[in-house]
């Protein structure tokens, strides 16, 4: 597998994580669950989406603050 194919696969995986997190947030919201839990899942949906974008950037970080700061 070529480097570009690996990047695309990783980006797709992270977008899948984002969609799953967003669906979880919607499920929790509809079930009138804890606002903290809903916000947590929505945050992770956005975070994973940003990670998918960063696959194509010359940047890497294992910390949320670093990823968000770069974005």
């Amino acid at each position: 597998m070529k480097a570009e194919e690996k990047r695309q696969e990783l980006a797709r995986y992270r977008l899948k994580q984002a969609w799953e997190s967003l669906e979880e947030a919607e499920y929790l919201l509809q079930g009138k669950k804890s606002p903290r839990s809903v916000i947590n899942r929505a945050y992770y949906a956005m975070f994973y989406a940003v990670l998918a974008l960063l696959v194509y950037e010359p940047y890497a970080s294992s910390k949320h603050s670093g990823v968000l700061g770069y974005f």
Side-chain angles (χ1 to χ4, degrees):
M1 184 179 294
K2 295 181 180 179
E4 180 59 26
E5 291 171 329
K6 287 182 182 180
R7 278 193 293 274
Q8 289 176 357
E9 184 176 321
L10 180 56
R12 280 192 295 271
Y13 171 73
R14 288 179 175 167
L15 286 174
K16 182 178 182 266
Q17 287 179 296
W19 279 112
E20 288 173 353
S21 295
L22 185 58
E23 288 173 346
E24 291 166 359
E26 291 173 353
Y27 175 80
L28 292 168
L29 182 63
Q30 290 172 357
K32 301 196 185 318
K33 301 299 181 187
S34 160
R36 180 179 296 169
S37 296
V38 174
I39 291 167
N40 176 276
R41 300 320 307 154
Y43 167 85
Y44 272 95
M46 292 181 281
F47 182 73
Y48 292 138
V50 169
L51 286 178
L53 289 173
L54 292 182
V55 167
Y56 299 99
E57 291 290 314
Y59 177 79
S61 176
S62 62
K63 296 186 178 195
H64 287 238
S65 60
V67 170
L68 297 177
Y70 183 79
F71 180 71

